[in-house]
Amino acid sequence: MMVTLAALTSGPFLQSAFAAGLANSDHIATPLPDRAALALQSLMNRYAIKGRSDWQGLHAWQRFVTVSILSDYEIISGNTRFHTAALHALQNRHGLDGNDDDLWVAQADLDMARLTHNTSQIQDARTIFDMIASQYWDGHCGGGVWWDHARTYKNAITNELFLNTATRLYHLTHDPAYKDWALKSWAWFRSSGLITADNLVNDGLNHQCLNNGGAPYSYNQGVILDGLLEISSLTNDGTPRQAASRIALSAIKTFTSFSGSFQEPGGTMNTDARIFRGVFVRALGHVAASEIDHTTRSMIADWLSQQAQFAWRTGKPGFRVSDTWSDHPFHTSAQGQITAASLFLATSLAQSVPTP
């Protein structure tokens, strides 16, 4: 039995389905994009802050991750139901702090521009990138951009976002300056020590410009995957894509617990960590849809499918999803709705690629 989104979101069926516990039943084969829509609609219903184009409990940078996920849903499903909400949230710059926050905005700009083809969003991303490149890249640790305006820390996420933004801007504008920055950024990153011998990206560098041994958070693995795919496309060199394959498979192994469920490193998840896995699985979907080898694609698709089943089975009335993707513990949050939607969309993307 196939139940479409139109049926699930109309009238009393949705309420009765959840009340009867059918949302996580194997008797309803709900398509993955429709599962994402349910998770996102619950985000809108339960966590939207009226008049603020924001959601309860999110840190400012997470607002822009949300915009990117909303844009993904529209691209994959063809449904514009969240388009206006995404546009409004993109304009809300309240609470931003640091270069990584600004680069999340640039990424969301470019994601929405895929739909709007609005040159002002591309220009906004350019303005953000150009400011950071001119003011926060220096020779400390041989290069790289600073995480914060006080210049206290050079870390992985900021430089991954910088790399990814540079490559995307070059593809969109063909301005050679962005190609130069992309190549310079990747050359620095791969020699920085941030990527360990285990093919994982640690959090950042210490005052001696050495890997600080910080936890290899899942979002650090995700953003570099997107950057490596972009660099491969830019240079027509498969080597960065091969590096992406190694990081993706190492991360899957690292983040999978004995029971098969996702385990974020670093202990109990805080507000930031609750959205990390959403960034990670989004990038895994991109890897699976790229010109990657068949073994890597199959392993990613299978793993995403398994995690999607874990998340789907935690659905409670109103389609509240556990941000742990597990009933033990079951914890709901805006981040949980976002990561579940990201997971369902990534799984759908991975499954849509024909097997050679």
Side-chain angles (χ1 to χ4, degrees):
M1 176 183 179
M2 182 69 71
V3 179
T4 65
L5 179 62
L8 281 171
T9 56
S10 62
F13 181 86
L14 178 63
Q15 297 177 6
S16 62
F18 286 130
L22 293 179
N24 55 12
S25 169
D26 291 336
H27 295 296
I28 295 184
T30 310
L32 286 158
D34 290 3
R35 297 185 189 194
L38 288 166
L40 292 171
Q41 191 59 57
S42 182
L43 172 73
M44 302 299 172
N45 293 344
R46 295 179 58 84
Y47 296 101
I49 302 174
K50 187 176 181 179
R52 276 186 47 188
S53 298
D54 203 355
W55 294 272
Q56 297 170 19
L58 294 189
H59 285 171
W61 69 272
Q62 297 175 340
R63 186 185 316 128
F64 300 95
V65 173
T66 305
V67 170
S68 292
I69 301 304
L70 295 175
S71 74
D72 286 351
Y73 170 74
E74 184 170 339
I75 285 172
I76 290 173
S77 70
N79 192 308
T80 62
R81 61 188 295 156
F82 303 119
H83 186 85
T84 300
L87 282 176
H88 288 169
L90 184 60
Q91 298 305 312
N92 181 0
R93 308 297 166 91
H94 177 75
L96 295 172
D97 179 26
N99 293 322
D100 56 338
D101 284 14
D102 288 339
L103 287 165
W104 285 115
V105 177
Q107 288 289 301
D109 274 327
L110 298 178
D111 285 334
M112 284 304 296
R114 298 176 300 176
L115 296 166
T116 66
H117 307 290
N118 190 328
T119 57
S120 67
Q121 289 160 352
I122 297 172
Q123 183 56 51
D124 189 47
R126 296 187 71 165
T127 299
I128 291 168
F129 181 89
D130 292 349
M131 179 275 294
I132 293 173
S134 64
Q135 297 184 29
Y136 293 102
W137 179 289
D138 62 20
H140 184 74
C141 297
V145 293
W146 292 97
W147 165 62
D148 55 343
H149 298 158
R151 296 175 171 82
T152 66
Y153 189 36
K154 286 197 172 180
N155 68 344
I157 195 62
T158 310
N159 283 282
E160 291 170 335
L161 290 166
F162 186 81
L163 165 64
N164 200 12
T165 305
T167 55
R168 295 182 71 183
L169 284 172
Y170 175 70
H171 288 310
L172 285 167
T173 68
H174 306 292
D175 184 333
Y178 295 122
K179 181 177 182 179
D180 291 344
W181 273 117
L183 296 175
K184 183 178 180 180
S185 179
W186 171 231
W188 176 81
F189 197 97
R190 70 171 178 256
S191 64
S192 67
L194 286 167
I195 304 176
T196 71
D198 295 328
N199 292 305
L200 292 173
V201 180
N202 280 39
D203 192 63
L205 303 176
N206 62 22
H207 293 301
Q208 289 75 45
C209 296
L210 301 173
N211 188 311
N212 64 10
Y217 297 114
S218 60
Y219 81 148
N220 280 330
Q221 321 314 308
V223 177
I224 193 61
L225 296 180
D226 279 333
L228 291 172
L229 295 179
E230 293 282 0
I231 283 286
S232 274
S233 174
L234 184 152
T235 61
N236 292 317
D237 179 5
T239 304
R241 191 180 297 113
Q242 293 165 8
S245 176
R246 292 192 297 271
I247 292 171
L249 296 182
S250 181
I252 285 174
K253 180 179 178 181
T254 299
F255 302 140
T256 304
S257 69
F258 180 77
S259 67
S261 62
F262 188 107
Q263 182 65 50
E264 181 71 38
T268 304
M269 292 190 297
N270 59 18
T271 300
D272 277 333
R274 289 192 181 105
I275 209 169
F276 286 173
R277 66 183 64 197
V279 176
F280 173 60
V281 295
R282 180 178 189 243
L284 281 183
H286 298 161
V287 174
S290 73
E291 296 177 5
I292 207 72
D293 63 276
H294 175 64
T295 299
T296 299
R297 176 180 294 123
S298 296
M299 292 179 70
I300 290 174
D302 289 347
W303 187 83
L304 287 171
S305 180
Q306 179 188 48
Q307 299 306 311
Q309 286 302 314
F310 284 139
W312 180 244
R313 290 167 186 161
T314 71
K316 297 292 191 290
F319 200 65
R320 295 171 297 133
V321 184
S322 176
D323 56 25
T324 64
W325 299 347
S326 171
D327 279 315
H328 307 287
F330 183 89
H331 185 275
T332 58
S333 65
Q335 291 89 342
Q337 302 305 128
I338 296 160
T339 64
S342 183
L343 175 60
F344 298 143
L345 293 172
T347 306
S348 177
L349 189 61
Q351 292 181 356
S352 69
V353 179
T355 302

